[in-house]
Structures are given as C-alpha cells and as structure tokens.
Amino acid sequence: MQRHITLGEFIIENQKDFPYAKGELSALLSSIRLAGKMVNQEINKAGLAEITGKFGSENVQGEAQMKLDVLANDLFISTLKSRGEICGIASEEMEDFVAFDEDMHNDAKYVVLIDPLDGSSNIDVNVSVGTIFSIYRRISKPGTPVELEDFLQPGNEQVAAGYLIYGTSTILVFTTGNGVHGFTYDPGIGSFFLSNHNMQAPATGKIYSINEGNYVHFPEGVKQYLKWVQELDEGTNRPFTSRYIGSLVADFHRNLMKGGIYIYPRGTTAPNGKLRLLYECNPMAFIIEQAGGKATDGYTRIMDLDPKELHQRVPFFCGNKEMVEVAEGFMKKHNPEG
Ligand code: AHM
Ligand code: MG
C-alpha cells in the first residue's frame, strides 16, 4: 500500500538532513506551511469576496478589503512573528526589513526573505500565483537586533528555500540542500502530502518562457537566442515551444516538471531586468540547482552574486543546465561586455 506522507512527517523524518538541525528549521518550515494554508484560503475566495463585498472596497462585515498581496504579506509576517524561530524578515512588499524584538526572538538564528504573493496581477483573472521564500542563518550576534547584513547574504548561504503555487492544486516545493521535494495540499484534510519526491529537472527541454513583447529592448544575445530557438533543426528538437504565464512560480514549476528555460533579461524598461535577487532569483536558483538545473544572470551564477541592496534586480536565466548554457553562449558572443 502506498504510504501517504505529510509534510510534517517528512520534516520530522528528515530533520537530521537539515543543516544545523536543532528543530528550529523544521518549526520554521511548519510556520511557513501554516501561513501558506491561510493565504491559499484567501486566494480561493478572492472572486467571491468581490461578489459578496459592498461596493467592491468593503466586505460584508463592512471591513475594507485588503489587497491580497498586502494581506499575504501580513499573514506571513504575523504567523512568523508569533513564533520564536526567526529574528527578522524582509519582504518584497516592504521598503525595509523588520526586526523581531520580543523576548522569544532573542535566541533565534534565522531570517526569512519573502515574496508573499508573486504574480499578484494575475489574481483578477484567475491565473496561478505563488509565494517564494528563502531562509538564511543570521550573521549578527544572537540577542541583538538583526541588521541589514543578515539579509544581504549571497544565495549560496541559503539554508532552505521554497515556493507555494496556488494553482489548480496548491503545491509547496522546497529544498534544504538535500534535493527538491513537492507536497500537494489536500484541502479536505488540511494537510500537504508528499507528491514529488526528489524532483529532477529533465536533462533536455524544449520550452522557452520570456515576455517577448519586450523584444525591442532585449540585448542582442537574447534576440539571437530567440531567433535560434525558433529555427527548424531536428537534431536539437527545434523550434522550441513558447509558454509564458507571467507568474514566475507557475512558469518555473512547469519548466521544472517538463524541461525548459525561463528568461527575464536586462534591457527592458527596467535596466537590470525586473526580478529581485533576494526574493525571487536566489530561492529559485537554489531550487533549480538542487534539481540539477542552472540559474545565472547570463554570465555569473545567481547564487554567487553579492547583494548590494534589499530590492536589487538582476537579469535571470533559469532552467535545464544545457538550455541555460546555450543561452549564456549567445550572451557571451553578442554581449561580451556583460
Ligand atoms: P511581482 O512580484 O510584482 O508579481 O512581479 C514579478 C512577476 C513574476 O511573477 C513574473 O514572472 C514577472 O513579474 C512578469 O513580468 P512581465 O509582466 O513584465 O512579463
Ligand atoms: Mg514577485
């Protein structure tokens, strides 16, 4: 008989594999799982809230309806703050990081960086959105307030990273540096069950995901790469297939399952690309590398970049190793200056 393993059981069974295992990291993942369930519930009734609310901006209780990305941010922060595993959090939704300074946070060793609701512009049209998170050990001395340096660590210092997709089903995917594992939420039971053990990016792929509407702004290397993926060549399985949802988590997850490359280059109206190094690129890079794939900014490994500021943006090339390397080859040839 197939054994149904819950995320909670999996975490306990694999606790010894977690770096610096003392139980705090397991507890932290449990807190994220709990907040994820709450956000999931809010997202599922998003359309309904519009119908039952008065005049769009108020719900039936007369409370102002919060934008879901703000609500998701508040839910993650309040859930994590009410427990003692982390001493601070930085979020894509907030200008600055927040230091948790109650007694129970005194000995906390971890900080969390989070994009509470990625792809939120897709909510109104019923398209999948997600949450992306990243966990680091603090650098500053325990017992003192967290500092900016605790958040500005390179991705290679991550102890865990993951994402939730609120899609046709809700899935939580994470890594602690021992492979990538996916858990599907059963809303009837209220638990996440192991559905994808040790996920591996397929060796080859033929999906490319990029907002081609920005073509005119792209660097020459990306333009030439796009030309290449659209050419006919049986040996390399071209032309590839274009798929772009506009929710990073959904595009990433599909490419991880089916084989593909996701690109958000520099040179659009945003000179360094759109995606944020700390909240989006580093956690996804950790996951794709753990699944055997690769993530770079076109030249350098994403996880080796030294963050300079909390909301720093970087170009992002992420997916199957081979596909990313071909795209990097085009960048190096046509934009050797970087
Ligand atoms: P957000 O964090 O403000 O939602 O922005 C990030 C999102 C990603 O999920 C997605 O891949 C990208 O923005 C889409 O951008 P664009 O609409 O420019 O293609
Ligand atoms: Mg985002």
Side-chain angles (χ1 to χ4, degrees):
M1 194 182 81
Q2 196 195 343
R3 206 179 138 219
H4 295 286
I5 301 175
T6 66
L7 175 56
E9 287 168 336
F10 184 90
I11 289 171
I12 292 166
E13 279 176 23
N14 292 279
Q15 188 146 300
K16 61 179 184 335
D17 294 337
F18 291 170
Y20 326 106
K22 277 243 176 62
E24 302 114 309
L25 189 57
S26 314
L28 175 48
L29 284 168
S30 302
S31 305
I32 289 175
R33 170 189 62 182
L34 175 62
K37 283 188 203 176
M38 296 193 240
V39 171
N40 180 57
Q41 197 172 9
E42 293 302 325
I43 286 170
N44 281 339
K45 63 184 188 201
L48 198 58
E50 276 289 312
I51 297 165
T52 53
K54 293 176 191 165
F55 307 117
S57 65
E58 278 186 338
N59 64 16
V60 275
Q61 285 88 35
E63 298 156 344
Q65 276 176 23
M66 236 189 279
K67 279 186 70 192
L68 272 175
D69 35 14
V70 178
L71 186 62
N73 189 53
D74 288 359
L75 279 172
F76 273 100
I77 292 181
S78 56
T79 307
L80 293 172
K81 194 176 179 182
S82 64
R83 293 166 169 73
E85 297 104 22
I86 66 167
C87 44
I89 189 164
S91 161
E92 197 191 281
E93 284 291 328
M94 300 181 304
E95 187 84 15
D96 213 348
F97 65 86
V98 177
F100 293 169
D101 52 7
E102 288 161 36
D103 285 349
M104 69 173 150
H105 306 119
N106 262 344
D107 296 323
K109 297 182 191 70
Y110 298 100
V111 294
V112 166
L113 291 99
I114 194 159
D115 181 355
L117 206 59
D118 182 65
S120 50
S121 62
N122 278 324
I123 293 224
D124 294 350
V125 288
N126 221 357
V127 169
S128 304
V129 290
T131 297
I132 308 172
F133 62 90
S134 183
I135 302 172
Y136 294 81
R137 267 175 86 88
R138 71 180 298 177
I139 301 174
S140 57
K141 212 167 134 257
T144 62
V146 275
E147 293 170 22
L148 185 59
E149 61 165 357
D150 295 316
F151 299 95
L152 295 187
Q153 300 189 52
N156 56 38
E157 295 290 342
Q158 288 173 102
V159 292
Y163 61 82
L164 285 123
I165 303 185
Y166 313 104
T168 41
S169 56
T170 294
I171 294 188
L172 190 154
V173 173
F174 78 94
T175 183
T176 54
N178 275 299
V180 179
H181 310 290
F183 297 80
T184 303
Y185 186 56
D186 182 331
I189 296 172
S191 296
F192 285 93
F193 287 95
L194 180 60
S195 49
N196 305 76
H197 187 250
N198 209 7
M199 297 168 81
Q200 284 293 312
T204 57
K206 58 173 297 175
I207 297 173
Y208 70 101
S209 311
I210 184 168
N211 185 345
E212 267 179 285
N214 291 321
Y215 185 88
V216 68
H217 303 291
F218 288 158
E220 190 57 26
V222 173
K223 286 183 177 168
Q224 291 299 325
Y225 176 69
L226 288 176
K227 198 163 163 274
W228 182 83
V229 301
Q230 291 165 4
E231 282 165 3
L232 185 65
D233 179 61
E234 280 178 17
T236 45
N237 228 351
R238 286 177 290 148
F240 292 169
T241 296
S242 169
R243 290 281 182 275
Y244 190 74
I245 296 170
S247 271
L248 174 63
V249 274
D251 281 309
F252 178 97
H253 187 73
R254 182 206 50 241
N255 290 358
L256 172 59
M257 303 295 288
K258 296 194 164 180
I261 182 169
Y262 176 96
I263 304 179
Y264 209 112
R266 73 166 82 246
T268 62
T269 39
N272 287 321
K274 179 183 184 189
L275 300 183
R276 323 259 180 157
L277 174 59
L278 296 177
Y279 312 110
E280 291 161 332
C281 303
N282 269 336
M284 291 316 207
F286 191 17
I287 296 165
I288 201 71
E289 283 196 12
Q290 281 292 315
K294 192 168 180 177
T296 78
D297 65 356
Y299 307 89
T300 306
R301 183 183 179 222
I302 288 289
M303 291 207 286
D304 287 342
L305 297 173
D306 256 326
K308 303 276 183 278
E309 54 184 31
L310 280 179
H311 295 282
Q312 184 173 340
R313 298 172 195 267
V314 289
F316 194 47
F317 295 66
C318 174
N320 297 62
K321 196 162 175 282
E322 193 187 288
M323 295 177 91
V324 172
E325 282 169 359
V326 171
E328 276 184 310
F330 278 90
M331 291 303 289
K332 284 171 189 154
K333 181 168 175 207
H334 297 280
N335 299 89
E337 70 288 358

